Amino acid sequence: MLKERILTAIVAGTGLLLVLFVLPPLAAEMVIAAFFLAAAWEWSGFLSLGGTAGRLAYVAIIAALLGIVGWVLPRETSVAVDDVVLRIGLAWWFAALVWVFFYPTPIAKPVRWICGALVMVPAYIALVSLYTLEPAVLLFVLVIVWAADVGAYFAGKRWGRVKLAPNISPGKTWEGVIGGLSAVVLVLVLASRYWVDLESLGTDIAAVVPFCLAVATLSIIGDLTVSMFKRSAGLKDSGRFFPGHGGVLDRIDSVAAAAPLFTLGIGWMGLA
């Protein structure tokens, strides 16, 4: 299982680098959109739609929202649409943080429809905004999320005892959370030494670490939140797109929560 996960991660990581640094910008943005539409298809499995037509209709709704918010409104209005959408997304994830503490709770179908849009639309806007700013910046936030995920996985396997959210994801532990956040700090220290010149950006490691720890913490909430919807739907994984890892939604849940905060935060810190 671990070997399969590593092999899949290598292949997917190689594909990601090609998308970010080789494809033309428009093609890269289309690939990002395609991933979110694949995630929308998987989310439609939480909605008890009962057939392919209903699921495709949900994907079409998400596609329309991505097009309207990402392309139409920014060109038709002077309002900073991206900023508004990102703030809505950030508010949603803080609400989700509270929600996971009260699970199990019944989730009405209309709520599931709306929550899918709140997960995917702000995340899409965040990733495209980061890619437009600089592909390396998008890669940086992904590395933060991956470090938290990998650190939590191995620390949880080795030392995990105290359950984090047993009603949602029995395998996750507080020891895993500590391991994940520790891995983020290690990555940040290495990145500041070999990758990112923080001094040239007008900041330092003392400011970046707490910010990125907040981003990583929210990525954990993203994972738990999607797991909450999967459990409500009676599903273990959202799909099987990535062998050993599950579906597309299983891979982007943490990123979906982390990206809006990261995108807004680097603006607030004057780094973008």
Side-chain angles (χ1 to χ4, degrees):
M1 181 66 172
L2 179 59
K3 182 179 179 181
E4 185 180 42
R5 288 174 65 94
I6 293 173
L7 180 61
T8 299
I10 292 172
V11 173
T14 303
L16 174 67
L17 293 176
L18 291 174
V19 169
L20 293 184
F21 298 103
V22 177
L23 284 184
L26 180 59
E29 291 180 24
M30 295 301 291
V31 171
I32 294 172
F35 264 87
F36 279 96
L37 294 183
W41 169 262
E42 293 177 355
W43 189 279
S44 70
F46 305 160
L47 305 180
S48 304
L49 295 173
T52 300
R55 296 185 69 176
L56 287 174
Y58 186 74
V59 174
I61 290 171
I62 297 299
L65 288 173
L66 296 185
I68 291 169
V69 172
W71 293 84
V72 177
L73 288 180
R75 290 159 176 77
E76 299 296 330
T77 177
S78 60
V79 176
V81 176
D82 288 3
D83 188 67
V84 172
V85 172
L86 291 173
R87 289 173 185 268
I88 290 172
L90 184 58
W92 148 249
W93 286 112
F94 278 113
L97 168 61
V98 176
W99 192 357
V100 296
F101 285 105
F102 290 93
Y103 187 81
T105 54
I107 308 176
K109 185 185 288 188
V111 174
R112 285 178 269 163
W113 280 66
I114 294 169
C115 289
L118 290 171
V119 168
M120 284 171 276
V121 177
Y124 168 75
I125 295 300
L127 295 188
V128 170
S129 297
L130 293 173
Y131 173 78
T132 302
L133 176 64
E134 176 61 51
V137 177
L138 174 51
L139 180 61
F140 183 71
V141 70
L142 294 177
V143 169
I144 292 171
V145 173
W146 294 336
D149 185 51
V150 172
Y153 177 82
F154 285 105
K157 285 286 187 183
R158 177 64 179 84
W159 296 292
R161 295 291 184 274
V162 183
K163 301 298 182 182
L164 174 62
N167 291 325
I168 298 175
S169 187
K172 291 182 172 58
T173 63
W174 281 104
E175 291 85 355
V177 171
I178 294 170
L181 297 181
S182 299
V184 170
V185 173
L186 176 61
V187 165
L188 291 174
V189 171
L190 293 175
S192 68
R193 184 175 180 85
Y194 300 109
W195 183 9
V196 183
D197 184 359
L198 295 177
E199 186 175 344
S200 70
L201 296 175
T203 187
D204 55 32
I205 193 72
V208 170
V209 165
F211 168 61
C212 289
L213 286 177
V215 170
T217 300
L218 210 54
S219 78
I220 297 170
I221 299 304
D223 190 344
L224 288 175
T225 301
V226 174
S227 293
M228 178 174 68
F229 281 91
K230 286 189 293 187
R231 185 164 289 275
S232 294
L235 300 173
K236 181 180 184 296
D237 293 317
S238 62
R240 299 179 180 177
F241 188 86
F242 295 103
H245 290 266
V248 175
L249 193 55
D250 294 311
R251 290 300 87 210
I252 69 168
D253 50 8
S254 299
V255 176
L261 174 59
F262 184 86
T263 307
L264 289 169
I266 62 174
W268 295 336
M269 296 171 69
L271 302 179

